Amino acid sequence: MSLTRDSAESSRRGGRSARPRGGVDMATLVGLAAAAVVIFVAMASGGSLRAFVDPPSLIIVLGGTLAVTTASFSLSDVAIAWRDAGAVLIHRTSDPRGVARQVLLLAEAARRAPETLRNVLPELKHESFLHRSVTLVAEGLPPDDIERMLIGEVEASGAGKVKSAGVLRRASEVAPAMGLIGTLVGLVQMLGSLNDPSSIGPAMALALLTTFYGAVLGNVALAPLAAKVERTAEEDALVKTLYTIGAVSIARQENPRRLEMLLNAVLPPGKRIQYFDRDSDRGSPRGA
């Protein structure tokens, strides 16, 4: 039995392949790029762009944001959060419908010939969690142990993503605050040198640009990335939950039709499937 071939056949019936699709997340990149273009046009239309470049202001906002965020968590938490933030720009996604169909294909194959699970393991290496799940079933572990191990992994992975989103959310709150601090520093410098007109301009630039940098960094970059990490965590948890339900059901040798109901119970209403079409000839599987 070739899972890849059967998955392609299921896709032709109306479904979508469960193989993760790699590539650039256009929604995130287009959104961030559009915001940057709007800000750039506004800056360029009012005069010279050099007026918006001030290294001390950048140091206060970027350095202060990084320092305070690190103080709130740890170096490893911050490093992982930045890694996860970069991963959401280029990541692999799986369609829940395709995942559900793939699980049902495995369940049907295992019901007909249990040794099939070992044969398809090489085809599942593109999805590490599914590969581990099927390996546990093929090794004959008790269903309750499989369920406990996989659920624990899902929860641990989700907790890590939630912490990364929390780090980014904290940084998005700190950035505007650091901008305000820079503004106060600039105002103090300006008021302390009113007798020297040549120093008023740089002090005023520091006062205004730090607020600008902090607002842009926090609301245009960090907050959207935090939301994206949270959404990616939810999508990843759903896919892994579907694989967990499938692995446990296969280990318990349950009827694939019951497995379909279990999968639909966790799928969003718009993503539910009808793999077994009772109205089709001889009850052959069909994609929704």
Side-chain angles (χ1 to χ4, degrees):
M1 176 258 188
S2 173
L3 184 64
T4 303
R5 184 173 60 251
D6 286 355
S7 295
E9 178 65 23
S10 176
S11 178
R12 285 193 294 272
R13 289 169 178 160
R16 298 171 65 182
S17 173
R19 184 180 291 273
R21 303 183 300 278
V24 177
D25 186 344
M26 295 305 299
T28 302
L29 290 182
V30 170
L32 293 177
V37 168
V38 169
I39 295 172
F40 179 83
V41 170
M43 292 164 54
S45 63
S48 174
L49 292 175
R50 291 182 59 86
F52 292 89
V53 178
D54 187 64
S57 298
L58 283 172
I59 293 173
I60 291 175
V61 173
L62 295 178
T65 298
L66 180 60
V68 174
T69 303
T70 303
S72 301
F73 294 90
S74 67
L75 286 172
S76 61
D77 290 339
V78 174
I80 292 173
W82 288 120
R83 183 198 66 190
D84 290 341
V88 300
L89 300 178
I90 303 176
H91 68 290
R92 306 164 70 222
T93 60
S94 297
D95 178 62
R97 285 182 175 176
V99 169
R101 290 189 179 90
Q102 185 181 31
V103 169
L104 289 168
L105 281 170
L106 282 170
E108 283 194 302
R111 189 175 177 86
R112 291 193 300 266
E115 67 276 6
T116 300
L117 294 180
R118 291 186 180 275
N119 297 335
V120 301
L121 280 175
E123 299 180 31
L124 306 179
K125 290 184 178 180
H126 65 273
E127 177 51 66
S128 58
F129 186 85
L130 175 60
H131 187 272
R132 287 193 297 276
S133 302
V134 175
T135 299
L136 294 175
V137 177
E139 293 295 332
L141 269 68
D144 290 343
D145 290 347
I146 294 175
E147 184 175 23
R148 183 171 59 254
M149 293 170 63
L150 295 181
I151 289 178
E153 184 173 346
V154 173
E155 292 177 347
S157 176
K161 290 293 195 306
V162 169
K163 178 176 287 187
S164 293
V167 172
L168 294 172
R169 191 78 66 188
R170 174 61 176 162
S172 70
E173 296 170 352
V174 171
M178 293 307 303
L180 178 59
I181 291 173
T183 298
L184 296 176
V185 171
L187 290 175
V188 170
Q189 292 177 349
M190 184 183 68
L191 294 175
S193 58
L194 290 178
N195 58 344
D196 182 8
S198 64
S199 64
I200 295 178
M204 180 62 74
L206 177 66
L208 297 179
L209 286 177
T210 49
T211 298
F212 173 71
Y213 291 153
V216 171
L217 179 63
N219 296 289
V220 178
L222 295 175
L225 287 176
K228 200 70 175 184
V229 170
E230 289 176 345
R231 180 179 177 182
T232 301
E234 293 173 356
E235 294 173 349
D236 183 66
L238 174 59
V239 169
K240 289 182 177 179
T241 298
L242 294 173
Y243 285 144
T244 299
I245 293 173
V248 174
S249 178
I250 294 172
R252 290 174 176 164
Q253 300 180 344
E254 296 177 340
N255 191 310
R257 292 181 180 272
R258 182 176 186 276
L259 173 57
E260 180 183 16
M261 292 187 291
L262 294 175
L263 295 174
N264 280 331
V266 299
L267 284 169
K271 295 289 186 179
R272 290 172 183 168
I273 64 172
Q274 288 181 321
Y275 185 83
F276 297 102
D277 190 349
R278 300 178 185 276
D279 296 330
S280 64
D281 294 338
R282 299 181 181 180
S284 59
R286 292 173 56 185

